[in-house]
Structures are given as structure tokens and as C-alpha cells.
Amino acid sequence: MFGSMQRGVNAYAKVGMETSVMSASPHKLIVLLYDGALAAIKSAASHMAAGNIVEKGAAVSKALDIINNGLRASLDKKAGGEIARNLDALYVYMTERLLTASLQNKTSLLEEVQTLLVDLRDAWSQIGEKPVMQNTMSHYPVMASA
């Protein structure tokens, strides 16, 4: 009984996530990528602690996929200039740390990458989506005070 209920909950969650992705702005998609990578790293850490090697590997692979094929792939190095190049280098560093963490079963390296991702996610969230301000200035000339 609970197994079928859990499948229903999982299906509902999947539909909810797909709906979030389909209706998300580019800004929100980046936040979702950060959230996904963080969830995968958290999962990897719990599987690492429990000694679940296969599950740990799958979770680390998911985090790597999100970082490399989501976050890195979304960088526009021409328009983003130095910031984009620095982010790219940071994502490469995170990838290396995640691979080392997985191979050596070091939760401290997972925590390091998690901290970096949280900082980036928080900064990205603070940027937020600012509504486009319409020109609210009067069409009448403004006189400068003397």
C-alpha cells in the first residue's frame, strides 16, 4: 500500500518539478540548477556515510552533470567576460573536488563544494529578477532650482 502511495507522491513531485522548469525564467532556471546540485551533493554525503557505494556514485554523477552540463554550459563567456571565465574555472574546480571526494570517500570535499554552491546560489538569488522599470518621469519639463 505505501509503495504505491510513494510512487504517486514521486510522480506528483516530478510533475511539479517539470512544471516549475517549463514556466521558469532563465534566472529561476539557474537557481533550480544550484538547488539540484546541492540536493545531489547532500544525497551523495548521506550515501557516503552509509557506505552505499553505487548510490553515492549516482548522486555524485548527478551533481557533476548539473554543474558541467547545466551551470557551465549556460555561461556566455563572450558576454560574461571575466566573471564568466572565473565561474567556469570555479565549476572546473568543483568538478575536480567532487571526483576526488567520491574516489577517496571524503565528506569534507563534498562540504567544500556544497559551501561554494550555496554562496553562488545565495548571490544569484540576491540579484533576483528586477522588474523592468517603465519610464515614470513626467513628460513635462523639470525646472532646476536656483
Side-chain angles (χ1 to χ4, degrees):
M1 177 173 146
F2 289 110
S4 63
M5 183 183 291
Q6 186 61 41
R7 279 194 303 266
V9 169
N10 289 342
Y12 181 77
K14 183 178 179 187
V15 168
M17 177 55 76
E18 288 173 359
T19 302
S20 294
V21 169
M22 295 300 288
S23 64
S25 66
H27 182 272
K28 179 65 175 169
L29 286 174
I30 299 298
V31 173
L32 290 171
L33 287 170
Y34 282 126
D35 288 344
L38 288 166
I41 290 170
K42 182 178 179 181
S43 177
S46 69
H47 288 303
M48 188 180 286
N52 301 329
I53 297 169
V54 173
E55 293 88 350
K56 173 201 73 175
V60 169
S61 291
K62 184 176 181 178
L64 290 168
D65 190 35
I66 292 169
I67 291 169
N68 288 314
N69 298 320
L71 294 168
R72 277 189 76 200
S74 69
L75 293 174
D76 184 341
K77 294 177 190 154
K78 283 185 180 179
E82 185 178 352
I83 292 173
R85 287 190 300 275
N86 289 341
L87 276 173
D88 186 58
L90 185 58
Y91 293 145
V92 168
Y93 175 79
M94 289 181 197
T95 297
E96 292 168 356
R97 300 306 273 177
L98 287 173
L99 289 171
T100 303
S102 184
L103 291 171
Q104 298 178 1
N105 282 323
K106 290 190 173 183
T107 56
S108 62
L109 298 181
L110 293 177
E111 291 167 0
E112 176 187 354
V113 174
Q114 185 175 14
T115 299
L116 292 169
L117 285 170
V118 166
D119 289 346
L120 289 171
R121 186 205 183 280
D122 289 348
W124 191 256
S125 293
Q126 287 177 5
I127 293 169
E129 292 187 59
K130 309 258 191 274
V132 177
M133 298 294 289
Q134 292 184 350
N135 187 357
T136 57
M137 295 183 67
S138 170
H139 294 290
Y140 299 102
V142 177
M143 298 182 70
S145 58

